[in-house]
Amino acid sequence: MNAARKLGRVRRLVVKVGSGLVTAAGVGAAPERIGALAADIAAIREGRRIVLVSSGAIATGTARLGLPERPRSIPEKQAAAAVGQSALMWQYEAAFGRHQIQVGQVLLTAQDISDRARYLNAKNTLLALLQFGVLPIVNENDTVAVEEIKVGDNDNLSALVASLIDADLLVLLTDVDGLYTDDPSVNTGARKLDTVDAVTDEIARLARDRGDPISVGGMATKLQAARKAAAAGVPMIIASGREPGMLRRILDGEPVGTYFAPKADRLGARKRWIAFAVPPQGRLTVDAGALAALTQRGKSLLPSGIVEIQGDFASGEVVALLGGAGGREFARGVVNFDAAELRKIRGAKTQEIEQRLGYKSFDEVIHRDNLVIL
Ligand code: GLU
């Protein structure tokens, strides 16, 4: 748990701020907080390309519509987001305008990132904005994102964006100053972790959420984001967004917040997309032999190792692979067959595939190059 922080030169940075930081109960988007954030970003912007991921649309819309509390129904939340998003952007326009920084609104859904063509579009748009010297401000497209196409929280979204633009660092600014061994408001012995090598299950258990009415994610989603960022080779820091100058201090290498180390064996962009951007469209359970061949010997998945097929997917879509005790998900990959074909060839030896399908097709269900062990 004590890896040294390794921040090389940070040229591309993604900063995520939660609703709790940029809004205030009853008023929504809070100009003084947004002003302070803009000043902090302006102070470190020289020589860097920065993307801001900001929540706060629903909280702002809730206040603007005069609702007593955050709405519960999805259409009402979406309506609040529509009202709040423009009000929020208006505040960002004004705040960054004082520092001569132009902003651009980018609204994404999980679908925009899960479809390979749309993923590349989103990436190219962000890169073009950065090229123009614009500060992209990203949020989930709440007005159209119903559950199935939602990332759900901006912590995970910010990790996807960091991966998308190959960021050198992802900073999550939040209400707490890092990850603690226990809830510091309850346990005075709780200790803040300075660095985390890997988000193990033990680390993930530290995230006991308080159920804050404004913050959507809490620690659990921050740790999911840390896993995604690590796999993408992007270091991540959780730090307090309440202290002015935090971004400067982070970039100066001060040991503030909690640092999450990136994985050394960084996945390539396409594999990252397979592993994290896409909600899997089906699940294949494999036998022990296939599990070992895939995880230890670097083999492709063949029909003979598949014991169960769940879901209705097309060839070319991403599926999850389950295996071992408890049938845990251990890999994801792009399948060469659709679900109906796969049901016909499940358990078959390679030389039986053609006969069972009635035509010649692939030997592998998932080729090694399209497979990511998680
Ligand atoms: N996209 C939501 C909003 O702007 C918030 C999601 C989050 O806070 O993680 O209100």
Side-chain angles (χ1 to χ4, degrees), residues 16-19 54-60 70 81 85 88 139-142 150 152-155 214-217 221:
K16 184 258 170 183
V17 287
S19 303
S54 174
S55 309
I58 298 177
T60 300
R70 191 183 166 89
Q85 180 65 26
L88 189 63
N139 195 356
E140 179 136 37
N141 195 353
D142 293 310
K150 233 177 180 335
D153 62 85
N154 279 357
D155 295 324
I214 292 185
S215 306
V216 174
T221 54

mmCIF file with all atom_site columns, all heavy atoms in Angstrom, residues 16-19 54-60 70 81 85 88 139-142 150 152-155 214-217 221, ligand 1:
data_model
loop_
_atom_site.group_PDB
_atom_site.id
_atom_site.type_symbol
_atom_site.label_atom_id
_atom_site.label_alt_id
_atom_site.label_comp_id
_atom_site.label_asym_id
_atom_site.label_entity_id
_atom_site.label_seq_id
_atom_site.pdbx_PDB_ins_code
_atom_site.Cartn_x
_atom_site.Cartn_y
_atom_site.Cartn_z
_atom_site.occupancy
_atom_site.B_iso_or_equiv
_atom_site.pdbx_formal_charge
_atom_site.auth_seq_id
_atom_site.auth_comp_id
_atom_site.auth_asym_id
_atom_site.auth_atom_id
_atom_site.pdbx_PDB_model_num
ATOM   1   N N   . LYS A 1 16  ? -12.485 16.006 -11.873 1.00 0.00 ? 16  LYS A N   1
ATOM   2   C CA  . LYS A 1 16  ? -13.916 15.762 -11.678 1.00 0.00 ? 16  LYS A CA  1
ATOM   3   C C   . LYS A 1 16  ? -14.364 16.427 -10.380 1.00 0.00 ? 16  LYS A C   1
ATOM   4   O O   . LYS A 1 16  ? -13.722 16.279 -9.344  1.00 0.00 ? 16  LYS A O   1
ATOM   5   C CB  . LYS A 1 16  ? -14.174 14.256 -11.628 1.00 0.00 ? 16  LYS A CB  1
ATOM   6   C CG  . LYS A 1 16  ? -15.649 13.895 -11.529 1.00 0.00 ? 16  LYS A CG  1
ATOM   7   C CD  . LYS A 1 16  ? -16.054 13.502 -10.127 1.00 0.00 ? 16  LYS A CD  1
ATOM   8   C CE  . LYS A 1 16  ? -17.558 13.378 -9.980  1.00 0.00 ? 16  LYS A CE  1
ATOM   9   N NZ  . LYS A 1 16  ? -17.969 13.065 -8.605  1.00 0.00 ? 16  LYS A NZ  1
ATOM   10  N N   . VAL A 1 17  ? -15.455 17.183 -10.475 1.00 0.00 ? 17  VAL A N   1
ATOM   11  C CA  . VAL A 1 17  ? -16.026 17.776 -9.264  1.00 0.00 ? 17  VAL A CA  1
ATOM   12  C C   . VAL A 1 17  ? -17.441 17.238 -9.062  1.00 0.00 ? 17  VAL A C   1
ATOM   13  O O   . VAL A 1 17  ? -18.203 17.086 -10.010 1.00 0.00 ? 17  VAL A O   1
ATOM   14  C CB  . VAL A 1 17  ? -16.083 19.326 -9.324  1.00 0.00 ? 17  VAL A CB  1
ATOM   15  C CG1 . VAL A 1 17  ? -14.701 19.912 -9.175  1.00 0.00 ? 17  VAL A CG1 1
ATOM   16  C CG2 . VAL A 1 17  ? -16.739 19.822 -10.600 1.00 0.00 ? 17  VAL A CG2 1
ATOM   17  N N   . GLY A 1 18  ? -17.767 16.942 -7.811  1.00 0.00 ? 18  GLY A N   1
ATOM   18  C CA  . GLY A 1 18  ? -19.080 16.410 -7.481  1.00 0.00 ? 18  GLY A CA  1
ATOM   19  C C   . GLY A 1 18  ? -20.089 17.526 -7.252  1.00 0.00 ? 18  GLY A C   1
ATOM   20  O O   . GLY A 1 18  ? -19.730 18.690 -7.061  1.00 0.00 ? 18  GLY A O   1
ATOM   21  N N   . SER A 1 19  ? -21.368 17.135 -7.262  1.00 0.00 ? 19  SER A N   1
ATOM   22  C CA  . SER A 1 19  ? -22.453 18.103 -7.057  1.00 0.00 ? 19  SER A CA  1
ATOM   23  C C   . SER A 1 19  ? -22.277 18.869 -5.749  1.00 0.00 ? 19  SER A C   1
ATOM   24  O O   . SER A 1 19  ? -22.534 20.073 -5.673  1.00 0.00 ? 19  SER A O   1
ATOM   25  C CB  . SER A 1 19  ? -23.800 17.389 -7.008  1.00 0.00 ? 19  SER A CB  1
ATOM   26  O OG  . SER A 1 19  ? -24.017 16.644 -8.173  1.00 0.00 ? 19  SER A OG  1
ATOM   27  N N   . SER A 1 54  ? -18.084 17.685 -14.604 1.00 0.00 ? 54  SER A N   1
ATOM   28  C CA  . SER A 1 54  ? -18.839 18.309 -13.516 1.00 0.00 ? 54  SER A CA  1
ATOM   29  C C   . SER A 1 54  ? -20.232 17.734 -13.383 1.00 0.00 ? 54  SER A C   1
ATOM   30  O O   . SER A 1 54  ? -20.990 17.635 -14.338 1.00 0.00 ? 54  SER A O   1
ATOM   31  C CB  . SER A 1 54  ? -18.952 19.820 -13.744 1.00 0.00 ? 54  SER A CB  1
ATOM   32  O OG  . SER A 1 54  ? -19.802 20.396 -12.761 1.00 0.00 ? 54  SER A OG  1
ATOM   33  N N   . SER A 1 55  ? -20.576 17.373 -12.160 1.00 0.00 ? 55  SER A N   1
ATOM   34  C CA  . SER A 1 55  ? -21.943 17.019 -11.811 1.00 0.00 ? 55  SER A CA  1
ATOM   35  C C   . SER A 1 55  ? -22.658 18.312 -11.417 1.00 0.00 ? 55  SER A C   1
ATOM   36  O O   . SER A 1 55  ? -22.090 19.385 -11.529 1.00 0.00 ? 55  SER A O   1
ATOM   37  C CB  . SER A 1 55  ? -21.943 16.077 -10.613 1.00 0.00 ? 55  SER A CB  1
ATOM   38  O OG  . SER A 1 55  ? -21.081 15.010 -10.840 1.00 0.00 ? 55  SER A OG  1
ATOM   39  N N   . GLY A 1 56  ? -23.856 18.153 -10.944 1.00 0.00 ? 56  GLY A N   1
ATOM   40  C CA  . GLY A 1 56  ? -24.560 19.318 -10.416 1.00 0.00 ? 56  GLY A CA  1
ATOM   41  C C   . GLY A 1 56  ? -25.778 19.736 -11.207 1.00 0.00 ? 56  GLY A C   1
ATOM   42  O O   . GLY A 1 56  ? -26.484 20.659 -10.816 1.00 0.00 ? 56  GLY A O   1
ATOM   43  N N   . ALA A 1 57  ? -26.039 19.055 -12.336 1.00 0.00 ? 57  ALA A N   1
ATOM   44  C CA  . ALA A 1 57  ? -27.189 19.450 -13.142 1.00 0.00 ? 57  ALA A CA  1
ATOM   45  C C   . ALA A 1 57  ? -28.500 19.208 -12.386 1.00 0.00 ? 57  ALA A C   1
ATOM   46  O O   . ALA A 1 57  ? -29.359 20.099 -12.306 1.00 0.00 ? 57  ALA A O   1
ATOM   47  C CB  . ALA A 1 57  ? -27.196 18.682 -14.461 1.00 0.00 ? 57  ALA A CB  1
ATOM   48  N N   . ILE A 1 58  ? -28.629 18.030 -11.816 1.00 0.00 ? 58  ILE A N   1
ATOM   49  C CA  . ILE A 1 58  ? -29.901 17.717 -11.157 1.00 0.00 ? 58  ILE A CA  1
ATOM   50  C C   . ILE A 1 58  ? -30.076 18.573 -9.898  1.00 0.00 ? 58  ILE A C   1
ATOM   51  O O   . ILE A 1 58  ? -31.144 19.128 -9.654  1.00 0.00 ? 58  ILE A O   1
ATOM   52  C CB  . ILE A 1 58  ? -29.994 16.202 -10.836 1.00 0.00 ? 58  ILE A CB  1
ATOM   53  C CG1 . ILE A 1 58  ? -29.958 15.402 -12.158 1.00 0.00 ? 58  ILE A CG1 1
ATOM   54  C CG2 . ILE A 1 58  ? -31.263 15.888 -10.049 1.00 0.00 ? 58  ILE A CG2 1
ATOM   55  C CD1 . ILE A 1 58  ? -29.967 13.899 -12.013 1.00 0.00 ? 58  ILE A CD1 1
ATOM   56  N N   . ALA A 1 59  ? -28.979 18.724 -9.143  1.00 0.00 ? 59  ALA A N   1
ATOM   57  C CA  . ALA A 1 59  ? -29.071 19.546 -7.929  1.00 0.00 ? 59  ALA A CA  1
ATOM   58  C C   . ALA A 1 59  ? -29.441 20.991 -8.286  1.00 0.00 ? 59  ALA A C   1
ATOM   59  O O   . ALA A 1 59  ? -30.262 21.632 -7.604  1.00 0.00 ? 59  ALA A O   1
ATOM   60  C CB  . ALA A 1 59  ? -27.750 19.499 -7.172  1.00 0.00 ? 59  ALA A CB  1
ATOM   61  N N   . THR A 1 60  ? -28.857 21.509 -9.356  1.00 0.00 ? 60  THR A N   1
ATOM   62  C CA  . THR A 1 60  ? -29.166 22.888 -9.755  1.00 0.00 ? 60  THR A CA  1
ATOM   63  C C   . THR A 1 60  ? -30.603 23.013 -10.254 1.00 0.00 ? 60  THR A C   1
ATOM   64  O O   . THR A 1 60  ? -31.327 23.946 -9.882  1.00 0.00 ? 60  THR A O   1
ATOM   65  C CB  . THR A 1 60  ? -28.173 23.346 -10.861 1.00 0.00 ? 60  THR A CB  1
ATOM   66  O OG1 . THR A 1 60  ? -26.852 23.281 -10.321 1.00 0.00 ? 60  THR A OG1 1
ATOM   67  C CG2 . THR A 1 60  ? -28.463 24.753 -11.328 1.00 0.00 ? 60  THR A CG2 1
ATOM   68  N N   . ARG A 1 70  ? -34.551 16.561 -4.178  1.00 0.00 ? 70  ARG A N   1
ATOM   69  C CA  . ARG A 1 70  ? -34.200 15.924 -5.439  1.00 0.00 ? 70  ARG A CA  1
ATOM   70  C C   . ARG A 1 70  ? -35.333 15.002 -5.870  1.00 0.00 ? 70  ARG A C   1
ATOM   71  O O   . ARG A 1 70  ? -35.784 14.156 -5.096  1.00 0.00 ? 70  ARG A O   1
ATOM   72  C CB  . ARG A 1 70  ? -32.931 15.097 -5.172  1.00 0.00 ? 70  ARG A CB  1
ATOM   73  C CG  . ARG A 1 70  ? -32.238 14.562 -6.377  1.00 0.00 ? 70  ARG A CG  1
ATOM   74  C CD  . ARG A 1 70  ? -31.060 13.708 -5.877  1.00 0.00 ? 70  ARG A CD  1
ATOM   75  N NE  . ARG A 1 70  ? -30.544 12.891 -6.958  1.00 0.00 ? 70  ARG A NE  1
ATOM   76  C CZ  . ARG A 1 70  ? -29.589 13.289 -7.798  1.00 0.00 ? 70  ARG A CZ  1
ATOM   77  N NH1 . ARG A 1 70  ? -29.039 14.469 -7.669  1.00 0.00 ? 70  ARG A NH1 1
ATOM   78  N NH2 . ARG A 1 70  ? -29.174 12.497 -8.758  1.00 0.00 ? 70  ARG A NH2 1
ATOM   79  N N   . ALA A 1 81  ? -32.481 17.953 -14.659 1.00 0.00 ? 81  ALA A N   1
ATOM   80  C CA  . ALA A 1 81  ? -31.153 18.014 -15.268 1.00 0.00 ? 81  ALA A CA  1
ATOM   81  C C   . ALA A 1 81  ? -31.132 18.995 -16.436 1.00 0.00 ? 81  ALA A C   1
ATOM   82  O O   . ALA A 1 81  ? -30.172 19.737 -16.620 1.00 0.00 ? 81  ALA A O   1
ATOM   83  C CB  . ALA A 1 81  ? -30.720 16.630 -15.745 1.00 0.00 ? 81  ALA A CB  1
ATOM   84  N N   . GLN A 1 85  ? -28.624 21.873 -16.092 1.00 0.00 ? 85  GLN A N   1
ATOM   85  C CA  . GLN A 1 85  ? -27.402 21.810 -16.911 1.00 0.00 ? 85  GLN A CA  1
ATOM   86  C C   . GLN A 1 85  ? -27.102 23.167 -17.553 1.00 0.00 ? 85  GLN A C   1
ATOM   87  O O   . GLN A 1 85  ? -25.963 23.624 -17.565 1.00 0.00 ? 85  GLN A O   1
ATOM   88  C CB  . GLN A 1 85  ? -27.532 20.714 -17.978 1.00 0.00 ? 85  GLN A CB  1
ATOM   89  C CG  . GLN A 1 85  ? -26.338 20.555 -18.887 1.00 0.00 ? 85  GLN A CG  1
ATOM   90  C CD  . GLN A 1 85  ? -25.066 20.094 -18.166 1.00 0.00 ? 85  GLN A CD  1
ATOM   91  O OE1 . GLN A 1 85  ? -25.115 19.445 -17.120 1.00 0.00 ? 85  GLN A OE1 1
ATOM   92  N NE2 . GLN A 1 85  ? -23.924 20.456 -18.712 1.00 0.00 ? 85  GLN A NE2 1
ATOM   93  N N   . LEU A 1 88  ? -26.027 25.605 -14.912 1.00 0.00 ? 88  LEU A N   1
ATOM   94  C CA  . LEU A 1 88  ? -24.666 25.273 -14.472 1.00 0.00 ? 88  LEU A CA  1
ATOM   95  C C   . LEU A 1 88  ? -23.637 25.775 -15.492 1.00 0.00 ? 88  LEU A C   1
ATOM   96  O O   . LEU A 1 88  ? -22.637 26.408 -15.148 1.00 0.00 ? 88  LEU A O   1
ATOM   97  C CB  . LEU A 1 88  ? -24.596 23.748 -14.352 1.00 0.00 ? 88  LEU A CB  1
ATOM   98  C CG  . LEU A 1 88  ? -23.383 23.097 -13.726 1.00 0.00 ? 88  LEU A CG  1
ATOM   99  C CD1 . LEU A 1 88  ? -23.232 23.517 -12.272 1.00 0.00 ? 88  LEU A CD1 1
ATOM   100 C CD2 . LEU A 1 88  ? -23.522 21.561 -13.790 1.00 0.00 ? 88  LEU A CD2 1
ATOM   101 N N   . ASN A 1 139 ? -20.521 16.182 -18.732 1.00 0.00 ? 139 ASN A N   1
ATOM   102 C CA  . ASN A 1 139 ? -21.471 15.620 -17.758 1.00 0.00 ? 139 ASN A CA  1
ATOM   103 C C   . ASN A 1 139 ? -22.177 14.477 -18.470 1.00 0.00 ? 139 ASN A C   1
ATOM   104 O O   . ASN A 1 139 ? -22.114 14.351 -19.696 1.00 0.00 ? 139 ASN A O   1
ATOM   105 C CB  . ASN A 1 139 ? -22.476 16.684 -17.302 1.00 0.00 ? 139 ASN A CB  1
ATOM   106 C CG  . ASN A 1 139 ? -23.233 16.260 -16.032 1.00 0.00 ? 139 ASN A CG  1
ATOM   107 O OD1 . ASN A 1 139 ? -23.069 15.145 -15.511 1.00 0.00 ? 139 ASN A OD1 1
ATOM   108 N ND2 . ASN A 1 139 ? -24.076 17.160 -15.535 1.00 0.00 ? 139 ASN A ND2 1
ATOM   109 N N   . GLU A 1 140 ? -22.846 13.647 -17.691 1.00 0.00 ? 140 GLU A N   1
ATOM   110 C CA  . GLU A 1 140 ? -23.670 12.632 -18.325 1.00 0.00 ? 140 GLU A CA  1
ATOM   111 C C   . GLU A 1 140 ? -24.864 13.335 -18.972 1.00 0.00 ? 140 GLU A C   1
ATOM   112 O O   . GLU A 1 140 ? -25.370 14.334 -18.461 1.00 0.00 ? 140 GLU A O   1
ATOM   113 C CB  . GLU A 1 140 ? -24.174 11.638 -17.277 1.00 0.00 ? 140 GLU A CB  1
ATOM   114 C CG  . GLU A 1 140 ? -25.067 10.572 -17.874 1.00 0.00 ? 140 GLU A CG  1
ATOM   115 C CD  . GLU A 1 140 ? -24.751 9.181  -17.348 1.00 0.00 ? 140 GLU A CD  1
ATOM   116 O OE1 . GLU A 1 140 ? -24.434 9.074  -16.157 1.00 0.00 ? 140 GLU A OE1 1
ATOM   117 O OE2 . GLU A 1 140 ? -24.833 8.220  -18.141 1.00 0.00 ? 140 GLU A OE2 1
ATOM   118 N N   . ASN A 1 141 ? -25.300 12.813 -20.117 1.00 0.00 ? 141 ASN A N   1
ATOM   119 C CA  . ASN A 1 141 ? -26.452 13.410 -20.794 1.00 0.00 ? 141 ASN A CA  1
ATOM   120 C C   . ASN A 1 141 ? -27.731 12.931 -20.105 1.00 0.00 ? 141 ASN A C   1
ATOM   121 O O   . ASN A 1 141 ? -28.465 12.091 -20.610 1.00 0.00 ? 141 ASN A O   1
ATOM   122 C CB  . ASN A 1 141 ? -26.439 13.023 -22.274 1.00 0.00 ? 141 ASN A CB  1
ATOM   123 C CG  . ASN A 1 141 ? -27.367 13.884 -23.087 1.00 0.00 ? 141 ASN A CG  1
ATOM   124 O OD1 . ASN A 1 141 ? -28.122 14.697 -22.526 1.00 0.00 ? 141 ASN A OD1 1
ATOM   125 N ND2 . ASN A 1 141 ? -27.339 13.718 -24.390 1.00 0.00 ? 141 ASN A ND2 1
ATOM   126 N N   . ASP A 1 142 ? -27.965 13.510 -18.933 1.00 0.00 ? 142 ASP A N   1
ATOM   127 C CA  . ASP A 1 142 ? -29.040 13.013 -18.072 1.00 0.00 ? 142 ASP A CA  1
ATOM   128 C C   . ASP A 1 142 ? -30.426 13.076 -18.708 1.00 0.00 ? 142 ASP A C   1
ATOM   129 O O   . ASP A 1 142 ? -31.294 12.289 -18.371 1.00 0.00 ? 142 ASP A O   1
ATOM   130 C CB  . ASP A 1 142 ? -29.076 13.810 -16.764 1.00 0.00 ? 142 ASP A CB  1
ATOM   131 C CG  . ASP A 1 142 ? -27.845 13.564 -15.910 1.00 0.00 ? 142 ASP A CG  1
ATOM   132 O OD1 . ASP A 1 142 ? -27.512 12.386 -15.698 1.00 0.00 ? 142 ASP A OD1 1
ATOM   133 O OD2 . ASP A 1 142 ? -27.227 14.539 -15.463 1.00 0.00 ? 142 ASP A OD2 1
ATOM   134 N N   . LYS A 1 150 ? -27.098 4.531  -19.055 1.00 0.00 ? 150 LYS A N   1
ATOM   135 C CA  . LYS A 1 150 ? -26.471 5.474  -18.150 1.00 0.00 ? 150 LYS A CA  1
ATOM   136 C C   . LYS A 1 150 ? -25.146 4.927  -17.631 1.00 0.00 ? 150 LYS A C   1
ATOM   137 O O   . LYS A 1 150 ? -25.045 3.739  -17.324 1.00 0.00 ? 150 LYS A O   1
ATOM   138 C CB  . LYS A 1 150 ? -27.386 5.650  -16.937 1.00 0.00 ? 150 LYS A CB  1
ATOM   139 C CG  . LYS A 1 150 ? -27.737 7.077  -16.623 1.00 0.00 ? 150 LYS A CG  1
ATOM   140 C CD  . LYS A 1 150 ? -28.706 7.057  -15.458 1.00 0.00 ? 150 LYS A CD  1
ATOM   141 C CE  . LYS A 1 150 ? -29.177 8.406  -15.004 1.00 0.00 ? 150 LYS A CE  1
ATOM   142 N NZ  . LYS A 1 150 ? -28.420 9.576  -15.213 1.00 0.00 ? 150 LYS A NZ  1
ATOM   143 N N   . GLY A 1 152 ? -24.236 6.410  -14.910 1.00 0.00 ? 152 GLY A N   1
ATOM   144 C CA  . GLY A 1 152 ? -24.851 6.425  -13.581 1.00 0.00 ? 152 GLY A CA  1
ATOM   145 C C   . GLY A 1 152 ? -24.219 7.418  -12.633 1.00 0.00 ? 152 GLY A C   1
ATOM   146 O O   . GLY A 1 152 ? -24.891 8.047  -11.847 1.00 0.00 ? 152 GLY A O   1
ATOM   147 N N   . ASP A 1 153 ? -22.920 7.555  -12.694 1.00 0.00 ? 153 ASP A N   1
ATOM   148 C CA  . ASP A 1 153 ? -22.276 8.499  -11.800 1.00 0.00 ? 153 ASP A CA  1
ATOM   149 C C   . ASP A 1 153 ? -21.067 9.076  -12.520 1.00 0.00 ? 153 ASP A C   1
ATOM   150 O O   . ASP A 1 153 ? -20.486 8.426  -13.387 1.00 0.00 ? 153 ASP A O   1
ATOM   151 C CB  . ASP A 1 153 ? -21.845 7.808  -10.511 1.00 0.00 ? 153 ASP A CB  1
ATOM   152 C CG  . ASP A 1 153 ? -20.832 6.736  -10.813 1.00 0.00 ? 153 ASP A CG  1
ATOM   153 O OD1 . ASP A 1 153 ? -19.645 7.079  -10.890 1.00 0.00 ? 153 ASP A OD1 1
ATOM   154 O OD2 . ASP A 1 153 ? -21.219 5.578  -11.015 1.00 0.00 ? 153 ASP A OD2 1
ATOM   155 N N   . ASN A 1 154 ? -20.713 10.270 -12.126 1.00 0.00 ? 154 ASN A N   1
ATOM   156 C CA  . ASN A 1 154 ? -19.646 10.956 -12.838 1.00 0.00 ? 154 ASN A CA  1
ATOM   157 C C   . ASN A 1 154 ? -18.252 10.498 -12.419 1.00 0.00 ? 154 ASN A C   1
ATOM   158 O O   . ASN A 1 154 ? -17.275 10.850 -13.069 1.00 0.00 ? 154 ASN A O   1
ATOM   159 C CB  . ASN A 1 154 ? -19.792 12.466 -12.664 1.00 0.00 ? 154 ASN A CB  1
ATOM   160 C CG  . ASN A 1 154 ? -20.836 13.036 -13.621 1.00 0.00 ? 154 ASN A CG  1
ATOM   161 O OD1 . ASN A 1 154 ? -21.390 12.319 -14.437 1.00 0.00 ? 154 ASN A OD1 1
ATOM   162 N ND2 . ASN A 1 154 ? -21.097 14.322 -13.508 1.00 0.00 ? 154 ASN A ND2 1
ATOM   163 N N   . ASP A 1 155 ? -18.138 9.728  -11.328 1.00 0.00 ? 155 ASP A N   1
ATOM   164 C CA  . ASP A 1 155 ? -16.823 9.179  -10.975 1.00 0.00 ? 155 ASP A CA  1
ATOM   165 C C   . ASP A 1 155 ? -16.380 8.214  -12.076 1.00 0.00 ? 155 ASP A C   1
ATOM   166 O O   . ASP A 1 155 ? -15.290 8.342  -12.636 1.00 0.00 ? 155 ASP A O   1
ATOM   167 C CB  . ASP A 1 155 ? -16.883 8.441  -9.633  1.00 0.00 ? 155 ASP A CB  1
ATOM   168 C CG  . ASP A 1 155 ? -17.192 9.388  -8.488  1.00 0.00 ? 155 ASP A CG  1
ATOM   169 O OD1 . ASP A 1 155 ? -16.723 10.539 -8.536  1.00 0.00 ? 155 ASP A OD1 1
ATOM   170 O OD2 . ASP A 1 155 ? -17.922 8.992  -7.562  1.00 0.00 ? 155 ASP A OD2 1
ATOM   171 N N   . ILE A 1 214 ? -27.033 14.699 -1.719  1.00 0.00 ? 214 ILE A N   1
ATOM   172 C CA  . ILE A 1 214 ? -26.618 15.398 -2.942  1.00 0.00 ? 214 ILE A CA  1
ATOM   173 C C   . ILE A 1 214 ? -25.621 14.580 -3.758  1.00 0.00 ? 214 ILE A C   1
ATOM   174 O O   . ILE A 1 214 ? -25.744 14.428 -4.959  1.00 0.00 ? 214 ILE A O   1
ATOM   175 C CB  . ILE A 1 214 ? -25.995 16.784 -2.607  1.00 0.00 ? 214 ILE A CB  1
ATOM   176 C CG1 . ILE A 1 214 ? -27.098 17.709 -2.058  1.00 0.00 ? 214 ILE A CG1 1
ATOM   177 C CG2 . ILE A 1 214 ? -25.392 17.416 -3.854  1.00 0.00 ? 214 ILE A CG2 1
ATOM   178 C CD1 . ILE A 1 214 ? -26.657 19.122 -1.804  1.00 0.00 ? 214 ILE A CD1 1
ATOM   179 N N   . SER A 1 215 ? -24.615 13.994 -3.098  1.00 0.00 ? 215 SER A N   1
ATOM   180 C CA  . SER A 1 215 ? -23.602 13.237 -3.837  1.00 0.00 ? 215 SER A CA  1
ATOM   181 C C   . SER A 1 215 ? -24.203 11.945 -4.355  1.00 0.00 ? 215 SER A C   1
ATOM   182 O O   . SER A 1 215 ? -24.812 11.204 -3.599  1.00 0.00 ? 215 SER A O   1
ATOM   183 C CB  . SER A 1 215 ? -22.421 12.903 -2.938  1.00 0.00 ? 215 SER A CB  1
ATOM   184 O OG  . SER A 1 215 ? -21.941 14.082 -2.348  1.00 0.00 ? 215 SER A OG  1
ATOM   185 N N   . VAL A 1 216 ? -23.980 11.687 -5.613  1.00 0.00 ? 216 VAL A N   1
ATOM   186 C CA  . VAL A 1 216 ? -24.540 10.475 -6.199  1.00 0.00 ? 216 VAL A CA  1
ATOM   187 C C   . VAL A 1 216 ? -23.662 9.271  -5.875  1.00 0.00 ? 216 VAL A C   1
ATOM   188 O O   . VAL A 1 216 ? -24.125 8.224  -5.466  1.00 0.00 ? 216 VAL A O   1
ATOM   189 C CB  . VAL A 1 216 ? -24.671 10.621 -7.729  1.00 0.00 ? 216 VAL A CB  1
ATOM   190 C CG1 . VAL A 1 216 ? -25.106 9.312  -8.364  1.00 0.00 ? 216 VAL A CG1 1
ATOM   191 C CG2 . VAL A 1 216 ? -25.662 11.720 -8.048  1.00 0.00 ? 216 VAL A CG2 1
ATOM   192 N N   . GLY A 1 217 ? -22.362 9.444  -6.052  1.00 0.00 ? 217 GLY A N   1
ATOM   193 C CA  . GLY A 1 217 ? -21.476 8.291  -6.021  1.00 0.00 ? 217 GLY A CA  1
ATOM   194 C C   . GLY A 1 217 ? -21.016 7.868  -4.646  1.00 0.00 ? 217 GLY A C   1
ATOM   195 O O   . GLY A 1 217 ? -21.280 6.763  -4.205  1.00 0.00 ? 217 GLY A O   1
ATOM   196 N N   . THR A 1 221 ? -18.159 4.312  -5.844  1.00 0.00 ? 221 THR A N   1
ATOM   197 C CA  . THR A 1 221 ? -17.968 4.602  -7.266  1.00 0.00 ? 221 THR A CA  1
ATOM   198 C C   . THR A 1 221 ? -16.581 5.221  -7.522  1.00 0.00 ? 221 THR A C   1
ATOM   199 O O   . THR A 1 221 ? -16.025 5.066  -8.606  1.00 0.00 ? 221 THR A O   1
ATOM   200 C CB  . THR A 1 221 ? -19.066 5.534  -7.804  1.00 0.00 ? 221 THR A CB  1
ATOM   201 O OG1 . THR A 1 221 ? -19.108 6.690  -6.979  1.00 0.00 ? 221 THR A OG1 1
ATOM   202 C CG2 . THR A 1 221 ? -20.418 4.844  -7.799  1.00 0.00 ? 221 THR A CG2 1
HETATM 203 N N1  . GLU B 2 .   ? -25.008 13.783 -13.845 1.00 0.00 ? 1   GLU B N1  1
HETATM 204 C C1  . GLU B 2 .   ? -25.606 14.089 -12.584 1.00 0.00 ? 1   GLU B C1  1
HETATM 205 C C2  . GLU B 2 .   ? -25.818 15.579 -12.432 1.00 0.00 ? 1   GLU B C2  1
HETATM 206 O O1  . GLU B 2 .   ? -25.209 16.367 -13.094 1.00 0.00 ? 1   GLU B O1  1
HETATM 207 C C3  . GLU B 2 .   ? -24.767 13.676 -11.395 1.00 0.00 ? 1   GLU B C3  1
HETATM 208 C C4  . GLU B 2 .   ? -24.041 12.381 -11.420 1.00 0.00 ? 1   GLU B C4  1
HETATM 209 C C5  . GLU B 2 .   ? -23.009 12.357 -10.291 1.00 0.00 ? 1   GLU B C5  1
HETATM 210 O O2  . GLU B 2 .   ? -23.001 13.243 -9.423  1.00 0.00 ? 1   GLU B O2  1
HETATM 211 O O3  . GLU B 2 .   ? -22.196 11.446 -10.234 1.00 0.00 ? 1   GLU B O3  1
HETATM 212 O O4  . GLU B 2 .   ? -26.601 15.983 -11.611 1.00 0.00 ? 1   GLU B O4  1
#
